[in-house]
Amino acid sequence: MPELPEVESVVRSLSSKIIGRRISNIYINNPNLRNFIDINIGNKLVGSYISEIYRRAKYIVFIMDDFVLIIHLGMTGILLFNGNLSLKHNHVNIFFDDGNYIVYNDCRRFGSFHIINKDEEEVFFSKIGMEPLIESFNYTYLKNLLKGNRCIKSFLMDNKYIAGIGNIYASEILYMCGISPLRQVKDINDVEINNLIYSIKNILTESIKNNGSSIRDYKNADGVFGVYQKFFKVYNRQGKECYNCQNKIEKILVNGRSTFLCNYCQS
Ligand SMILES: [Zn+2]
């Protein structure tokens, strides 16, 4: 599933191409994504100019004159700029006044499209936690939240607290700072909190520089695959040697999700 770095890469690869463009047509081939796209609502966007595009958590947000279009890529969603129009699983095509277009392709259809009024944007994102790459995501913010006995890995993946971290980056972040995914959040000390913040920012930033990770079929809007998976230290490396201590990387289940760790380097 695309996480923060992958969605950020899509936004960056799209922004210079579509900001200032007017939507000339929207073609909805299959409205049955995770939510149902009302064709009439889709048509409301025709004629709108895109003034801004940004990422919030794992959402891509298109700001227009009166409306906001919000897209979640789900498990396998891809937004391609001038992509092949005849591919299977193309569900939505958005055409612009300059002849260019974007294609939304999603074979598992867990993605979603939301079209809201401009004044509903704040409410839409009201239950999502802080963006981890902004300055105010710091020791004070995290210290206040690390209470109780839930494990740190499920905390990191809880978008109520931190926006955009999913299963892949949670394992990589915890390996980098030497914290076991099973540690209870209340037991994480002050030094570890600072290490955790450093690891979160470092791993996400490095992944963005590499266009994210392409595990299955993720690509950015230029059709470019991410390459950060080449730098994974633990994810999908079960049975292989830890780069630090040469013991074997293990795969365990945490809340039903595959989790990768080195039992010697992480405690
Ligand atoms: Zn190790």
mmCIF file with all atom_site columns, all heavy atoms in Angstrom, residues 214-237:
data_model
loop_
_atom_site.group_PDB
_atom_site.id
_atom_site.type_symbol
_atom_site.label_atom_id
_atom_site.label_alt_id
_atom_site.label_comp_id
_atom_site.label_asym_id
_atom_site.label_entity_id
_atom_site.label_seq_id
_atom_site.pdbx_PDB_ins_code
_atom_site.Cartn_x
_atom_site.Cartn_y
_atom_site.Cartn_z
_atom_site.occupancy
_atom_site.B_iso_or_equiv
_atom_site.pdbx_formal_charge
_atom_site.auth_seq_id
_atom_site.auth_comp_id
_atom_site.auth_asym_id
_atom_site.auth_atom_id
_atom_site.pdbx_PDB_model_num
ATOM 1   N N   . SER A 1 214 ? 8.733  0.616   -4.519  1.00 0.00 ? 214 SER A N   1
ATOM 2   C CA  . SER A 1 214 ? 7.808  -0.144  -5.370  1.00 0.00 ? 214 SER A CA  1
ATOM 3   C C   . SER A 1 214 ? 7.875  -1.607  -4.979  1.00 0.00 ? 214 SER A C   1
ATOM 4   O O   . SER A 1 214 ? 8.789  -2.329  -5.371  1.00 0.00 ? 214 SER A O   1
ATOM 5   C CB  . SER A 1 214 ? 8.170  0.027   -6.848  1.00 0.00 ? 214 SER A CB  1
ATOM 6   O OG  . SER A 1 214 ? 7.885  1.341   -7.259  1.00 0.00 ? 214 SER A OG  1
ATOM 7   N N   . ILE A 1 215 ? 6.926  -2.028  -4.147  1.00 0.00 ? 215 ILE A N   1
ATOM 8   C CA  . ILE A 1 215 ? 6.897  -3.425  -3.720  1.00 0.00 ? 215 ILE A CA  1
ATOM 9   C C   . ILE A 1 215 ? 6.136  -4.237  -4.756  1.00 0.00 ? 215 ILE A C   1
ATOM 10  O O   . ILE A 1 215 ? 6.592  -5.257  -5.235  1.00 0.00 ? 215 ILE A O   1
ATOM 11  C CB  . ILE A 1 215 ? 6.178  -3.575  -2.362  1.00 0.00 ? 215 ILE A CB  1
ATOM 12  C CG1 . ILE A 1 215 ? 6.800  -2.660  -1.323  1.00 0.00 ? 215 ILE A CG1 1
ATOM 13  C CG2 . ILE A 1 215 ? 6.196  -5.028  -1.899  1.00 0.00 ? 215 ILE A CG2 1
ATOM 14  C CD1 . ILE A 1 215 ? 8.164  -3.048  -0.893  1.00 0.00 ? 215 ILE A CD1 1
ATOM 15  N N   . ARG A 1 216 ? 4.952  -3.771  -5.108  1.00 0.00 ? 216 ARG A N   1
ATOM 16  C CA  . ARG A 1 216 ? 4.174  -4.470  -6.131  1.00 0.00 ? 216 ARG A CA  1
ATOM 17  C C   . ARG A 1 216 ? 4.247  -3.660  -7.415  1.00 0.00 ? 216 ARG A C   1
ATOM 18  O O   . ARG A 1 216 ? 5.153  -3.807  -8.197  1.00 0.00 ? 216 ARG A O   1
ATOM 19  C CB  . ARG A 1 216 ? 2.732  -4.650  -5.661  1.00 0.00 ? 216 ARG A CB  1
ATOM 20  C CG  . ARG A 1 216 ? 2.627  -5.601  -4.470  1.00 0.00 ? 216 ARG A CG  1
ATOM 21  C CD  . ARG A 1 216 ? 1.183  -5.984  -4.194  1.00 0.00 ? 216 ARG A CD  1
ATOM 22  N NE  . ARG A 1 216 ? 1.086  -6.750  -2.962  1.00 0.00 ? 216 ARG A NE  1
ATOM 23  C CZ  . ARG A 1 216 ? 0.834  -6.215  -1.781  1.00 0.00 ? 216 ARG A CZ  1
ATOM 24  N NH1 . ARG A 1 216 ? 0.627  -4.919  -1.666  1.00 0.00 ? 216 ARG A NH1 1
ATOM 25  N NH2 . ARG A 1 216 ? 0.769  -6.964  -0.696  1.00 0.00 ? 216 ARG A NH2 1
ATOM 26  N N   . ASP A 1 217 ? 3.294  -2.756  -7.585  1.00 0.00 ? 217 ASP A N   1
ATOM 27  C CA  . ASP A 1 217 ? 3.249  -2.079  -8.874  1.00 0.00 ? 217 ASP A CA  1
ATOM 28  C C   . ASP A 1 217 ? 3.151  -0.567  -8.733  1.00 0.00 ? 217 ASP A C   1
ATOM 29  O O   . ASP A 1 217 ? 2.767  0.118   -9.658  1.00 0.00 ? 217 ASP A O   1
ATOM 30  C CB  . ASP A 1 217 ? 2.072  -2.607  -9.696  1.00 0.00 ? 217 ASP A CB  1
ATOM 31  C CG  . ASP A 1 217 ? 0.862  -2.869  -8.827  1.00 0.00 ? 217 ASP A CG  1
ATOM 32  O OD1 . ASP A 1 217 ? 0.839  -2.358  -7.687  1.00 0.00 ? 217 ASP A OD1 1
ATOM 33  O OD2 . ASP A 1 217 ? -0.052 -3.577  -9.273  1.00 0.00 ? 217 ASP A OD2 1
ATOM 34  N N   . TYR A 1 218 ? 3.523  -0.047  -7.560  1.00 0.00 ? 218 TYR A N   1
ATOM 35  C CA  . TYR A 1 218 ? 3.439  1.398   -7.377  1.00 0.00 ? 218 TYR A CA  1
ATOM 36  C C   . TYR A 1 218 ? 4.374  2.137   -8.354  1.00 0.00 ? 218 TYR A C   1
ATOM 37  O O   . TYR A 1 218 ? 5.521  1.745   -8.569  1.00 0.00 ? 218 TYR A O   1
ATOM 38  C CB  . TYR A 1 218 ? 3.797  1.776   -5.923  1.00 0.00 ? 218 TYR A CB  1
ATOM 39  C CG  . TYR A 1 218 ? 4.294  3.187   -5.837  1.00 0.00 ? 218 TYR A CG  1
ATOM 40  C CD1 . TYR A 1 218 ? 3.392  4.246   -5.858  1.00 0.00 ? 218 TYR A CD1 1
ATOM 41  C CD2 . TYR A 1 218 ? 5.652  3.469   -5.822  1.00 0.00 ? 218 TYR A CD2 1
ATOM 42  C CE1 . TYR A 1 218 ? 3.845  5.551   -5.860  1.00 0.00 ? 218 TYR A CE1 1
ATOM 43  C CE2 . TYR A 1 218 ? 6.113  4.770   -5.822  1.00 0.00 ? 218 TYR A CE2 1
ATOM 44  C CZ  . TYR A 1 218 ? 5.204  5.804   -5.840  1.00 0.00 ? 218 TYR A CZ  1
ATOM 45  O OH  . TYR A 1 218 ? 5.665  7.081   -5.866  1.00 0.00 ? 218 TYR A OH  1
ATOM 46  N N   . LYS A 1 219 ? 3.864  3.210   -8.948  1.00 0.00 ? 219 LYS A N   1
ATOM 47  C CA  . LYS A 1 219 ? 4.670  4.120   -9.778  1.00 0.00 ? 219 LYS A CA  1
ATOM 48  C C   . LYS A 1 219 ? 4.222  5.532   -9.452  1.00 0.00 ? 219 LYS A C   1
ATOM 49  O O   . LYS A 1 219 ? 3.088  5.733   -9.020  1.00 0.00 ? 219 LYS A O   1
ATOM 50  C CB  . LYS A 1 219 ? 4.373  3.924   -11.272 1.00 0.00 ? 219 LYS A CB  1
ATOM 51  C CG  . LYS A 1 219 ? 4.600  2.571   -11.831 1.00 0.00 ? 219 LYS A CG  1
ATOM 52  C CD  . LYS A 1 219 ? 3.996  2.531   -13.243 1.00 0.00 ? 219 LYS A CD  1
ATOM 53  C CE  . LYS A 1 219 ? 3.964  1.117   -13.769 1.00 0.00 ? 219 LYS A CE  1
ATOM 54  N NZ  . LYS A 1 219 ? 3.150  1.002   -14.983 1.00 0.00 ? 219 LYS A NZ  1
ATOM 55  N N   . ASN A 1 220 ? 5.080  6.524   -9.713  1.00 0.00 ? 220 ASN A N   1
ATOM 56  C CA  . ASN A 1 220 ? 4.599  7.896   -9.574  1.00 0.00 ? 220 ASN A CA  1
ATOM 57  C C   . ASN A 1 220 ? 3.855  8.291   -10.852 1.00 0.00 ? 220 ASN A C   1
ATOM 58  O O   . ASN A 1 220 ? 3.661  7.463   -11.747 1.00 0.00 ? 220 ASN A O   1
ATOM 59  C CB  . ASN A 1 220 ? 5.737  8.855   -9.192  1.00 0.00 ? 220 ASN A CB  1
ATOM 60  C CG  . ASN A 1 220 ? 6.709  9.121   -10.323 1.00 0.00 ? 220 ASN A CG  1
ATOM 61  O OD1 . ASN A 1 220 ? 6.440  8.783   -11.473 1.00 0.00 ? 220 ASN A OD1 1
ATOM 62  N ND2 . ASN A 1 220 ? 7.834  9.722   -10.000 1.00 0.00 ? 220 ASN A ND2 1
ATOM 63  N N   . ALA A 1 221 ? 3.436  9.567   -10.944 1.00 0.00 ? 221 ALA A N   1
ATOM 64  C CA  . ALA A 1 221 ? 2.584  9.959   -12.072 1.00 0.00 ? 221 ALA A CA  1
ATOM 65  C C   . ALA A 1 221 ? 3.330  9.952   -13.402 1.00 0.00 ? 221 ALA A C   1
ATOM 66  O O   . ALA A 1 221 ? 2.720  9.976   -14.467 1.00 0.00 ? 221 ALA A O   1
ATOM 67  C CB  . ALA A 1 221 ? 1.982  11.342  -11.814 1.00 0.00 ? 221 ALA A CB  1
ATOM 68  N N   . ASP A 1 222 ? 4.666  9.917   -13.351 1.00 0.00 ? 222 ASP A N   1
ATOM 69  C CA  . ASP A 1 222 ? 5.450  9.814   -14.585 1.00 0.00 ? 222 ASP A CA  1
ATOM 70  C C   . ASP A 1 222 ? 5.662  8.359   -14.990 1.00 0.00 ? 222 ASP A C   1
ATOM 71  O O   . ASP A 1 222 ? 6.390  8.077   -15.948 1.00 0.00 ? 222 ASP A O   1
ATOM 72  C CB  . ASP A 1 222 ? 6.828  10.471  -14.394 1.00 0.00 ? 222 ASP A CB  1
ATOM 73  C CG  . ASP A 1 222 ? 6.710  11.971  -14.188 1.00 0.00 ? 222 ASP A CG  1
ATOM 74  O OD1 . ASP A 1 222 ? 5.857  12.584  -14.857 1.00 0.00 ? 222 ASP A OD1 1
ATOM 75  O OD2 . ASP A 1 222 ? 7.455  12.512  -13.357 1.00 0.00 ? 222 ASP A OD2 1
ATOM 76  N N   . GLY A 1 223 ? 5.087  7.429   -14.224 1.00 0.00 ? 223 GLY A N   1
ATOM 77  C CA  . GLY A 1 223 ? 5.292  6.011   -14.525 1.00 0.00 ? 223 GLY A CA  1
ATOM 78  C C   . GLY A 1 223 ? 6.630  5.496   -14.010 1.00 0.00 ? 223 GLY A C   1
ATOM 79  O O   . GLY A 1 223 ? 7.072  4.412   -14.374 1.00 0.00 ? 223 GLY A O   1
ATOM 80  N N   . VAL A 1 224 ? 7.279  6.289   -13.144 1.00 0.00 ? 224 VAL A N   1
ATOM 81  C CA  . VAL A 1 224 ? 8.598  5.902   -12.626 1.00 0.00 ? 224 VAL A CA  1
ATOM 82  C C   . VAL A 1 224 ? 8.419  5.080   -11.348 1.00 0.00 ? 224 VAL A C   1
ATOM 83  O O   . VAL A 1 224 ? 7.679  5.477   -10.448 1.00 0.00 ? 224 VAL A O   1
ATOM 84  C CB  . VAL A 1 224 ? 9.449  7.164   -12.330 1.00 0.00 ? 224 VAL A CB  1
ATOM 85  C CG1 . VAL A 1 224 ? 10.749 6.797   -11.626 1.00 0.00 ? 224 VAL A CG1 1
ATOM 86  C CG2 . VAL A 1 224 ? 9.723  7.923   -13.624 1.00 0.00 ? 224 VAL A CG2 1
ATOM 87  N N   . PHE A 1 225 ? 9.086  3.940   -11.281 1.00 0.00 ? 225 PHE A N   1
ATOM 88  C CA  . PHE A 1 225 ? 9.033  3.109   -10.079 1.00 0.00 ? 225 PHE A CA  1
ATOM 89  C C   . PHE A 1 225 ? 9.910  3.718   -8.988  1.00 0.00 ? 225 PHE A C   1
ATOM 90  O O   . PHE A 1 225 ? 10.954 4.307   -9.280  1.00 0.00 ? 225 PHE A O   1
ATOM 91  C CB  . PHE A 1 225 ? 9.550  1.695   -10.381 1.00 0.00 ? 225 PHE A CB  1
ATOM 92  C CG  . PHE A 1 225 ? 8.614  0.887   -11.229 1.00 0.00 ? 225 PHE A CG  1
ATOM 93  C CD1 . PHE A 1 225 ? 8.845  0.717   -12.582 1.00 0.00 ? 225 PHE A CD1 1
ATOM 94  C CD2 . PHE A 1 225 ? 7.486  0.290   -10.669 1.00 0.00 ? 225 PHE A CD2 1
ATOM 95  C CE1 . PHE A 1 225 ? 7.974  -0.034  -13.373 1.00 0.00 ? 225 PHE A CE1 1
ATOM 96  C CE2 . PHE A 1 225 ? 6.616  -0.456  -11.452 1.00 0.00 ? 225 PHE A CE2 1
ATOM 97  C CZ  . PHE A 1 225 ? 6.859  -0.613  -12.808 1.00 0.00 ? 225 PHE A CZ  1
ATOM 98  N N   . GLY A 1 226 ? 9.494  3.540   -7.719  1.00 0.00 ? 226 GLY A N   1
ATOM 99  C CA  . GLY A 1 226 ? 10.345 3.934   -6.605  1.00 0.00 ? 226 GLY A CA  1
ATOM 100 C C   . GLY A 1 226 ? 11.460 2.918   -6.434  1.00 0.00 ? 226 GLY A C   1
ATOM 101 O O   . GLY A 1 226 ? 11.331 1.766   -6.858  1.00 0.00 ? 226 GLY A O   1
ATOM 102 N N   . VAL A 1 227 ? 12.573 3.350   -5.823  1.00 0.00 ? 227 VAL A N   1
ATOM 103 C CA  . VAL A 1 227 ? 13.689 2.406   -5.638  1.00 0.00 ? 227 VAL A CA  1
ATOM 104 C C   . VAL A 1 227 ? 14.112 2.268   -4.174  1.00 0.00 ? 227 VAL A C   1
ATOM 105 O O   . VAL A 1 227 ? 15.100 1.609   -3.877  1.00 0.00 ? 227 VAL A O   1
ATOM 106 C CB  . VAL A 1 227 ? 14.925 2.787   -6.496  1.00 0.00 ? 227 VAL A CB  1
ATOM 107 C CG1 . VAL A 1 227 ? 14.636 2.575   -7.967  1.00 0.00 ? 227 VAL A CG1 1
ATOM 108 C CG2 . VAL A 1 227 ? 15.379 4.206   -6.240  1.00 0.00 ? 227 VAL A CG2 1
ATOM 109 N N   . TYR A 1 228 ? 13.350 2.859   -3.251  1.00 0.00 ? 228 TYR A N   1
ATOM 110 C CA  . TYR A 1 228 ? 13.792 2.805   -1.855  1.00 0.00 ? 228 TYR A CA  1
ATOM 111 C C   . TYR A 1 228 ? 13.790 1.374   -1.297  1.00 0.00 ? 228 TYR A C   1
ATOM 112 O O   . TYR A 1 228 ? 14.498 1.086   -0.335  1.00 0.00 ? 228 TYR A O   1
ATOM 113 C CB  . TYR A 1 228 ? 12.936 3.736   -0.976  1.00 0.00 ? 228 TYR A CB  1
ATOM 114 C CG  . TYR A 1 228 ? 13.506 3.874   0.414   1.00 0.00 ? 228 TYR A CG  1
ATOM 115 C CD1 . TYR A 1 228 ? 14.689 4.576   0.629   1.00 0.00 ? 228 TYR A CD1 1
ATOM 116 C CD2 . TYR A 1 228 ? 12.888 3.265   1.507   1.00 0.00 ? 228 TYR A CD2 1
ATOM 117 C CE1 . TYR A 1 228 ? 15.243 4.669   1.890   1.00 0.00 ? 228 TYR A CE1 1
ATOM 118 C CE2 . TYR A 1 228 ? 13.439 3.360   2.772   1.00 0.00 ? 228 TYR A CE2 1
ATOM 119 C CZ  . TYR A 1 228 ? 14.615 4.065   2.960   1.00 0.00 ? 228 TYR A CZ  1
ATOM 120 O OH  . TYR A 1 228 ? 15.169 4.148   4.213   1.00 0.00 ? 228 TYR A OH  1
ATOM 121 N N   . GLN A 1 229 ? 13.027 0.469   -1.923  1.00 0.00 ? 229 GLN A N   1
ATOM 122 C CA  . GLN A 1 229 ? 13.029 -0.922  -1.440  1.00 0.00 ? 229 GLN A CA  1
ATOM 123 C C   . GLN A 1 229 ? 14.436 -1.529  -1.460  1.00 0.00 ? 229 GLN A C   1
ATOM 124 O O   . GLN A 1 229 ? 14.734 -2.450  -0.712  1.00 0.00 ? 229 GLN A O   1
ATOM 125 C CB  . GLN A 1 229 ? 12.034 -1.793  -2.225  1.00 0.00 ? 229 GLN A CB  1
ATOM 126 C CG  . GLN A 1 229 ? 12.375 -2.068  -3.676  1.00 0.00 ? 229 GLN A CG  1
ATOM 127 C CD  . GLN A 1 229 ? 11.975 -0.928  -4.608  1.00 0.00 ? 229 GLN A CD  1
ATOM 128 O OE1 . GLN A 1 229 ? 11.562 0.128   -4.155  1.00 0.00 ? 229 GLN A OE1 1
ATOM 129 N NE2 . GLN A 1 229 ? 12.108 -1.147  -5.903  1.00 0.00 ? 229 GLN A NE2 1
ATOM 130 N N   . LYS A 1 230 ? 15.311 -0.986  -2.297  1.00 0.00 ? 230 LYS A N   1
ATOM 131 C CA  . LYS A 1 230 ? 16.699 -1.490  -2.333  1.00 0.00 ? 230 LYS A CA  1
ATOM 132 C C   . LYS A 1 230 ? 17.446 -1.174  -1.041  1.00 0.00 ? 230 LYS A C   1
ATOM 133 O O   . LYS A 1 230 ? 18.478 -1.763  -0.754  1.00 0.00 ? 230 LYS A O   1
ATOM 134 C CB  . LYS A 1 230 ? 17.464 -0.844  -3.499  1.00 0.00 ? 230 LYS A CB  1
ATOM 135 C CG  . LYS A 1 230 ? 16.981 -1.297  -4.854  1.00 0.00 ? 230 LYS A CG  1
ATOM 136 C CD  . LYS A 1 230 ? 17.814 -0.666  -5.950  1.00 0.00 ? 230 LYS A CD  1
ATOM 137 C CE  . LYS A 1 230 ? 17.240 -1.003  -7.312  1.00 0.00 ? 230 LYS A CE  1
ATOM 138 N NZ  . LYS A 1 230 ? 17.714 -0.084  -8.342  1.00 0.00 ? 230 LYS A NZ  1
ATOM 139 N N   . PHE A 1 231 ? 16.926 -0.207  -0.290  1.00 0.00 ? 231 PHE A N   1
ATOM 140 C CA  . PHE A 1 231 ? 17.605 0.206   0.941   1.00 0.00 ? 231 PHE A CA  1
ATOM 141 C C   . PHE A 1 231 ? 16.945 -0.373  2.192   1.00 0.00 ? 231 PHE A C   1
ATOM 142 O O   . PHE A 1 231 ? 17.334 -0.044  3.301   1.00 0.00 ? 231 PHE A O   1
ATOM 143 C CB  . PHE A 1 231 ? 17.648 1.738   1.030   1.00 0.00 ? 231 PHE A CB  1
ATOM 144 C CG  . PHE A 1 231 ? 18.329 2.374   -0.144  1.00 0.00 ? 231 PHE A CG  1
ATOM 145 C CD1 . PHE A 1 231 ? 17.594 2.898   -1.193  1.00 0.00 ? 231 PHE A CD1 1
ATOM 146 C CD2 . PHE A 1 231 ? 19.718 2.406   -0.218  1.00 0.00 ? 231 PHE A CD2 1
ATOM 147 C CE1 . PHE A 1 231 ? 18.223 3.471   -2.292  1.00 0.00 ? 231 PHE A CE1 1
ATOM 148 C CE2 . PHE A 1 231 ? 20.358 2.971   -1.310  1.00 0.00 ? 231 PHE A CE2 1
ATOM 149 C CZ  . PHE A 1 231 ? 19.605 3.507   -2.355  1.00 0.00 ? 231 PHE A CZ  1
ATOM 150 N N   . PHE A 1 232 ? 15.925 -1.212  2.006   1.00 0.00 ? 232 PHE A N   1
ATOM 151 C CA  . PHE A 1 232 ? 15.269 -1.802  3.182   1.00 0.00 ? 232 PHE A CA  1
ATOM 152 C C   . PHE A 1 232 ? 16.292 -2.590  3.997   1.00 0.00 ? 232 PHE A C   1
ATOM 153 O O   . PHE A 1 232 ? 17.091 -3.353  3.447   1.00 0.00 ? 232 PHE A O   1
ATOM 154 C CB  . PHE A 1 232 ? 14.151 -2.767  2.761   1.00 0.00 ? 232 PHE A CB  1
ATOM 155 C CG  . PHE A 1 232 ? 12.896 -2.105  2.265   1.00 0.00 ? 232 PHE A CG  1
ATOM 156 C CD1 . PHE A 1 232 ? 11.896 -2.869  1.666   1.00 0.00 ? 232 PHE A CD1 1
ATOM 157 C CD2 . PHE A 1 232 ? 12.688 -0.738  2.402   1.00 0.00 ? 232 PHE A CD2 1
ATOM 158 C CE1 . PHE A 1 232 ? 10.727 -2.284  1.201   1.00 0.00 ? 232 PHE A CE1 1
ATOM 159 C CE2 . PHE A 1 232 ? 11.518 -0.140  1.939   1.00 0.00 ? 232 PHE A CE2 1
ATOM 160 C CZ  . PHE A 1 232 ? 10.541 -0.924  1.335   1.00 0.00 ? 232 PHE A CZ  1
ATOM 161 N N   . LYS A 1 233 ? 16.218 -2.416  5.325   1.00 0.00 ? 233 LYS A N   1
ATOM 162 C CA  . LYS A 1 233 ? 17.116 -3.161  6.210   1.00 0.00 ? 233 LYS A CA  1
ATOM 163 C C   . LYS A 1 233 ? 16.418 -4.401  6.770   1.00 0.00 ? 233 LYS A C   1
ATOM 164 O O   . LYS A 1 233 ? 17.074 -5.383  7.099   1.00 0.00 ? 233 LYS A O   1
ATOM 165 C CB  . LYS A 1 233 ? 17.561 -2.263  7.377   1.00 0.00 ? 233 LYS A CB  1
ATOM 166 C CG  . LYS A 1 233 ? 18.208 -0.946  6.950   1.00 0.00 ? 233 LYS A CG  1
ATOM 167 C CD  . LYS A 1 233 ? 19.616 -1.175  6.434   1.00 0.00 ? 233 LYS A CD  1
ATOM 168 C CE  . LYS A 1 233 ? 20.421 0.110   6.363   1.00 0.00 ? 233 LYS A CE  1
ATOM 169 N NZ  . LYS A 1 233 ? 19.876 1.095   5.428   1.00 0.00 ? 233 LYS A NZ  1
ATOM 170 N N   . VAL A 1 234 ? 15.088 -4.320  6.940   1.00 0.00 ? 234 VAL A N   1
ATOM 171 C CA  . VAL A 1 234 ? 14.373 -5.464  7.522   1.00 0.00 ? 234 VAL A CA  1
ATOM 172 C C   . VAL A 1 234 ? 13.144 -5.899  6.711   1.00 0.00 ? 234 VAL A C   1
ATOM 173 O O   . VAL A 1 234 ? 12.851 -7.098  6.638   1.00 0.00 ? 234 VAL A O   1
ATOM 174 C CB  . VAL A 1 234 ? 13.934 -5.186  8.990   1.00 0.00 ? 234 VAL A CB  1
ATOM 175 C CG1 . VAL A 1 234 ? 15.120 -5.259  9.931   1.00 0.00 ? 234 VAL A CG1 1
ATOM 176 C CG2 . VAL A 1 234 ? 13.196 -3.861  9.133   1.00 0.00 ? 234 VAL A CG2 1
ATOM 177 N N   . TYR A 1 235 ? 12.438 -4.972  6.117   1.00 0.00 ? 235 TYR A N   1
ATOM 178 C CA  . TYR A 1 235 ? 11.163 -5.325  5.472   1.00 0.00 ? 235 TYR A CA  1
ATOM 179 C C   . TYR A 1 235 ? 11.384 -6.353  4.363   1.00 0.00 ? 235 TYR A C   1
ATOM 180 O O   . TYR A 1 235 ? 12.236 -6.174  3.490   1.00 0.00 ? 235 TYR A O   1
ATOM 181 C CB  . TYR A 1 235 ? 10.472 -4.076  4.906   1.00 0.00 ? 235 TYR A CB  1
ATOM 182 C CG  . TYR A 1 235 ? 9.069  -4.382  4.426   1.00 0.00 ? 235 TYR A CG  1
ATOM 183 C CD1 . TYR A 1 235 ? 7.994  -4.398  5.306   1.00 0.00 ? 235 TYR A CD1 1
ATOM 184 C CD2 . TYR A 1 235 ? 8.833  -4.711  3.098   1.00 0.00 ? 235 TYR A CD2 1
ATOM 185 C CE1 . TYR A 1 235 ? 6.720  -4.720  4.878   1.00 0.00 ? 235 TYR A CE1 1
ATOM 186 C CE2 . TYR A 1 235 ? 7.559  -5.040  2.660   1.00 0.00 ? 235 TYR A CE2 1
ATOM 187 C CZ  . TYR A 1 235 ? 6.508  -5.041  3.557   1.00 0.00 ? 235 TYR A CZ  1
ATOM 188 O OH  . TYR A 1 235 ? 5.249  -5.373  3.127   1.00 0.00 ? 235 TYR A OH  1
ATOM 189 N N   . ASN A 1 236 ? 10.636 -7.452  4.438   1.00 0.00 ? 236 ASN A N   1
ATOM 190 C CA  . ASN A 1 236 ? 10.737 -8.549  3.454   1.00 0.00 ? 236 ASN A CA  1
ATOM 191 C C   . ASN A 1 236 ? 12.098 -9.233  3.458   1.00 0.00 ? 236 ASN A C   1
ATOM 192 O O   . ASN A 1 236 ? 12.446 -9.894  2.491   1.00 0.00 ? 236 ASN A O   1
ATOM 193 C CB  . ASN A 1 236 ? 10.447 -8.037  2.031   1.00 0.00 ? 236 ASN A CB  1
ATOM 194 C CG  . ASN A 1 236 ? 9.023  -8.343  1.626   1.00 0.00 ? 236 ASN A CG  1
ATOM 195 O OD1 . ASN A 1 236 ? 8.328  -9.099  2.310   1.00 0.00 ? 236 ASN A OD1 1
ATOM 196 N ND2 . ASN A 1 236 ? 8.578  -7.762  0.535   1.00 0.00 ? 236 ASN A ND2 1
ATOM 197 N N   . ARG A 1 237 ? 12.889 -9.079  4.533   1.00 0.00 ? 237 ARG A N   1
ATOM 198 C CA  . ARG A 1 237 ? 14.232 -9.674  4.570   1.00 0.00 ? 237 ARG A CA  1
ATOM 199 C C   . ARG A 1 237 ? 14.308 -10.820 5.586   1.00 0.00 ? 237 ARG A C   1
ATOM 200 O O   . ARG A 1 237 ? 15.394 -11.176 6.041   1.00 0.00 ? 237 ARG A O   1
ATOM 201 C CB  . ARG A 1 237 ? 15.284 -8.607  4.897   1.00 0.00 ? 237 ARG A CB  1
ATOM 202 C CG  . ARG A 1 237 ? 15.467 -7.550  3.793   1.00 0.00 ? 237 ARG A CG  1
ATOM 203 C CD  . ARG A 1 237 ? 16.759 -6.762  3.971   1.00 0.00 ? 237 ARG A CD  1
ATOM 204 N NE  . ARG A 1 237 ? 17.926 -7.603  3.770   1.00 0.00 ? 237 ARG A NE  1
ATOM 205 C CZ  . ARG A 1 237 ? 18.794 -7.938  4.711   1.00 0.00 ? 237 ARG A CZ  1
ATOM 206 N NH1 . ARG A 1 237 ? 18.631 -7.504  5.944   1.00 0.00 ? 237 ARG A NH1 1
ATOM 207 N NH2 . ARG A 1 237 ? 19.821 -8.715  4.442   1.00 0.00 ? 237 ARG A NH2 1
#
